[in-house]
Amino acid sequence: SLIMALLTFLYSGLLIERGRMTNMNQLLDVSAVPNWVLLLSKLLALAMMQVILLSLVGLGGMTVQLYQGWEEIDLLYYARELFGTHLLSLVLWALLALYFHSLFSMPYLTFFLLLMGMIGVPAQGLIGLDHPIFTFNWGPSYQYSEFTGRIYELRHFIYKFYWLILGLFLLVGAYCWWFRGTPSSFAERFGMALGRLKSPLGIIMGALLAGFMGMGWMLWQQDQDIVPYLDRDTKLHLMAKAESQYAGLRNIPQPKISSLSVELDFFPEKESFQVQATYTLKNKTSFPIDTLMMVTALDVESSYTLDRSFKAIAKDTLVASHYIPRWFEMIKLKEELAPGDSIQVIFQVENVAN
């Protein structure tokens, strides 16, 4: 995907500037072809290049499968992954590239700026923009297996649709910046673009921008309903606070797992599971242990008991959630666990109902 994105950045500039680079631009400018045809033809050419490259990737994958003796090739899976997921991401990069190449008439400099922007996207968290709605062309990854199918796929495409709205906004913006002839300055080009915004194009761009911002707000609220958003500085503060609060527990001796018995039940039709398991913990230290530290998983129903009496002496939330938080709990054993002695922890875990 990285190589295809770089080729998209490069060829989008070459397609737009090809007329000027070959001194054919004035002949093209006086042709009886609307601007939108010239612009969309560039987008179509880029999309066709991306389809060809993705097809080569698919053929390569099938060849490897056949070479390794796997003859059950799932063509639908290849088509869905390559031309459903990856092609959409590449088209979004093409829309961004067309806008900036239309804005700046310097293809190689613009290619460098797009490359730096693509590299800099993961670093947005350093300036507090680490929420997904600020990360261009980002979509939550989804998981696929023969057993579960595609998990979180809908959320992935919701985010892609969110960025597609911005992509269409950029496409209309590229049309506004499109020029013919030889404008004497950037100010003249800006005046031309501003004049086009006074036409119905301005209404279209306004509607797309409003839709993009409105959907971004909805996604923000949805994420807040699942797990409250914390910026980078807040996360670092909470981590430092937790470390200082629990650092003193680091040296408290704890028993080690010596055996584990698990009964795991899957319910595919409900996308649910249940676990019943038993830990056997053995005191491998030379000191008696009377305190155990327990941590539960996030967003699952958890309960446990021991084969001897105990009582909880402390409990705290490690990770907050609107469903079930992750708990840290300290328990006191009624009878100390002597060196070499063992204790059993019986626990049950099941997912929150989908």
Side-chain angles (χ1 to χ4, degrees):
S1 296
L2 175 61
I3 295 176
M4 294 183 194
L6 295 181
L7 290 175
T8 299
F9 295 160
L10 178 62
Y11 286 130
S12 58
L14 296 179
L15 283 172
I16 290 177
E17 298 296 329
R18 184 172 59 175
R20 283 181 280 274
M21 294 171 68
T22 56
N23 295 321
M24 296 288 290
N25 56 308
Q26 295 187 17
L27 288 175
L28 293 173
D29 291 342
V30 298
S31 61
V33 179
N35 287 343
W36 66 267
V37 173
L38 296 174
L39 178 60
L40 291 183
S41 65
K42 300 330 188 247
L43 178 60
L44 180 60
L46 291 172
M48 291 177 63
M49 178 197 71
Q50 294 165 350
V51 168
I52 292 172
L53 292 174
L54 289 172
S55 299
L56 293 175
V57 171
L59 289 174
M62 295 177 199
T63 302
V64 172
Q65 280 189 259
L66 293 173
Y67 177 77
Q68 295 181 348
W70 186 264
E71 299 180 356
E72 296 182 10
I73 295 177
D74 189 347
L75 294 177
L76 182 60
Y77 172 78
Y78 273 101
R80 193 167 181 173
E81 288 292 317
L82 294 174
F83 306 119
T85 302
H86 292 285
L87 181 60
L88 180 56
S89 296
L90 291 172
V91 168
L92 286 170
W93 285 122
L95 293 170
L96 180 71
L98 286 175
Y99 175 80
F100 281 100
H101 280 294
S102 299
L103 179 61
F104 305 111
S105 297
M106 296 171 284
Y108 298 110
L109 176 60
T110 306
F111 169 79
F112 178 76
L113 294 176
L114 289 167
L115 176 60
M116 291 298 99
M118 185 178 184
I119 296 175
V121 164
Q124 291 180 181
L126 298 176
I127 57 175
L129 299 177
D130 51 352
H131 193 278
I133 64 172
F134 302 119
T135 307
F136 179 77
N137 205 4
W138 185 89
S141 59
Y142 61 88
Q143 304 167 7
Y144 171 80
S145 71
E146 292 280 346
F147 184 74
T148 62
R150 288 171 170 81
I151 304 177
Y152 309 125
E153 184 181 34
L154 178 60
R155 182 170 173 79
H156 173 85
F157 282 105
I158 287 175
Y159 266 89
K160 288 300 182 180
F161 180 74
Y162 165 71
W163 289 115
L164 183 60
I165 296 175
L166 179 62
L168 294 176
F169 173 84
L170 294 175
L171 182 63
V172 179
Y175 177 84
C176 291
W177 285 109
W178 195 272
F179 68 93
R180 294 188 176 193
T182 54
S184 59
S185 65
F186 184 82
E188 183 179 351
R189 289 188 59 201
F190 181 79
M192 293 168 55
L194 193 62
R196 288 170 179 164
L197 286 178
K198 296 178 181 179
S199 66
L201 287 177
I203 299 176
I204 295 174
M205 290 191 71
L208 290 171
L209 184 60
F212 173 73
M213 297 180 66
M215 190 169 181
W217 181 84
M218 291 173 60
L219 291 172
W220 172 282
Q221 292 297 320
Q222 186 183 52
D223 287 346
Q224 289 292 94
D225 290 339
I226 299 174
V227 178
Y229 169 71
L230 301 176
D231 58 34
R232 179 174 176 270
D233 292 338
T234 303
K235 290 177 182 177
L236 291 176
H237 172 73
L238 291 176
M239 290 171 62
K241 180 180 177 182
E243 184 175 352
S244 63
Q245 183 175 356
Y246 297 111
L249 305 177
R250 183 181 296 122
N251 298 321
I252 296 179
Q254 292 292 289
K256 304 296 183 181
I257 298 175
S258 61
S259 66
L260 171 63
S261 173
V262 178
E263 294 181 7
L264 176 59
D265 296 319
F266 285 113
F267 304 94
E269 69 280 358
K270 298 181 181 179
E271 296 185 354
S272 301
F273 71 91
Q274 291 180 348
V275 177
Q276 295 191 15
T278 301
Y279 278 156
T280 299
L281 306 177
K282 185 175 182 179
N283 183 0
K284 297 184 177 182
T285 70
S286 56
F287 308 97
I289 296 175
D290 63 352
T291 303
L292 300 182
M293 290 180 282
M294 314 293 288
V295 177
T296 63
L298 181 67
D299 288 341
V300 293
E301 299 276 2
S302 302
S303 61
Y304 68 89
T305 184
L306 278 64
D307 62 355
R308 63 181 65 188
S309 300
F310 69 94
K311 67 175 181 178
I313 59 176
K315 189 174 184 179
D316 194 10
T317 302
L318 291 180
V319 181
S321 171
H322 285 283
Y323 296 119
I324 301 175
R326 187 177 189 184
W327 292 103
F328 167 77
E329 191 170 16
M330 293 185 66
I331 61 175
K332 188 84 170 181
L333 300 177
K334 187 174 182 180
E335 298 180 7
E336 293 181 339
L337 187 64
D341 195 5
S342 298
I343 185 174
Q344 287 191 330
V345 180
I346 303 96
F347 63 91
Q348 297 81 35
V349 176
E350 61 180 287
N351 63 291
V352 178
N354 290 304

